[in-house]
Amino acid sequence: MKSKPLSIISWSIQILLAAGVGLSGFFKMTTPYADLAKEMGWVQDFSPTVIYVIGFIEMHGAMFLIAPYLVRKSKIFSKMMPIKFVPIGAVLIGIMMIGAVGTHINRGEYSMAVIPFVLIIMVVFVFYTRRGLLKSSN
């Protein structure tokens, strides 16, 4: 990505996505299933294991958006979290959000499908602006 304003916008979106989706994933992984089911009706459509896996994928997608930049100067950690993980994190979050839109539409919760749909648009933008990182050697 060559444009500084585009880079700033992409970074801003990456941070927002990482914070929002990461916290959502953490919440799904740490909150008891019964409590989640009271708060979010769609949870009842899935087993506790599936909800945990959704949270796990969301947290890792969020981590992949930010962590490679934080550890890229470290020889050890940059091997564990290469920069090419950034667009991969966007794809992970995108897949989860496509599932979220489908779940809400299937349940007739059309207004609830708006937020994950907006997140899909954000993820597509991040993937598009960071797709060159897939070719990176680190």
Side-chain angles (χ1 to χ4, degrees), residues 7-55:
S7 181
I8 292 169
I9 292 168
S10 187
W11 256 113
S12 300
I13 291 173
Q14 281 175 249
I15 291 167
L16 288 172
L17 280 170
V21 175
L23 287 173
S24 175
F26 180 78
F27 183 68
K28 288 177 183 101
M29 289 180 65
T30 59
T31 304
Y33 180 81
D35 294 342
L36 283 175
K38 287 181 208 169
E39 295 289 323
M40 301 177 272
W42 64 268
V43 168
Q44 299 167 15
D45 295 349
F46 300 95
S47 72
T49 303
V50 171
I51 298 301
Y52 184 86
V53 169
I54 289 169

Side-chain angles (χ1 to χ4, degrees), residues 6-130:
L6 196 59
S7 181
I8 292 169
I9 292 168
S10 187
W11 256 113
S12 300
I13 291 173
Q14 281 175 249
I15 291 167
L16 288 172
L17 280 170
V21 175
L23 287 173
S24 175
F26 180 78
F27 183 68
K28 288 177 183 101
M29 289 180 65
T30 59
T31 304
Y33 180 81
D35 294 342
L36 283 175
K38 287 181 208 169
E39 295 289 323
M40 301 177 272
W42 64 268
V43 168
Q44 299 167 15
D45 295 349
F46 300 95
S47 72
T49 303
V50 171
I51 298 301
Y52 184 86
V53 169
I54 289 169
F56 183 85
I57 293 170
E58 287 177 348
M59 280 188 59
H60 280 76
M63 180 180 63
F64 287 177
L65 288 178
I66 303 297
Y69 291 107
L70 300 177
V71 300
R72 71 178 169 194
K73 299 292 183 196
S74 165
K75 291 186 187 315
I76 296 170
F77 292 120
S78 64
K79 300 287 185 211
M80 294 171 26
M81 185 68 65
I83 200 78
K84 62 180 75 175
F85 277 20
V86 174
I88 293 169
V91 169
L92 286 174
I93 293 171
I95 290 168
M96 291 291 98
M97 293 307 112
I98 289 168
V101 168
T103 298
H104 289 302
I105 289 174
N106 193 38
R107 292 176 52 87
E109 302 169 342
Y110 303 108
S111 63
M112 295 297 290
V114 172
I115 292 172
F117 183 75
V118 170
L119 293 176
I120 290 169
I121 293 169
M122 293 168 70
V123 161
V124 167
F125 177 80
V126 169
F127 181 83
Y128 179 76
T129 58
R130 303 297 190 198

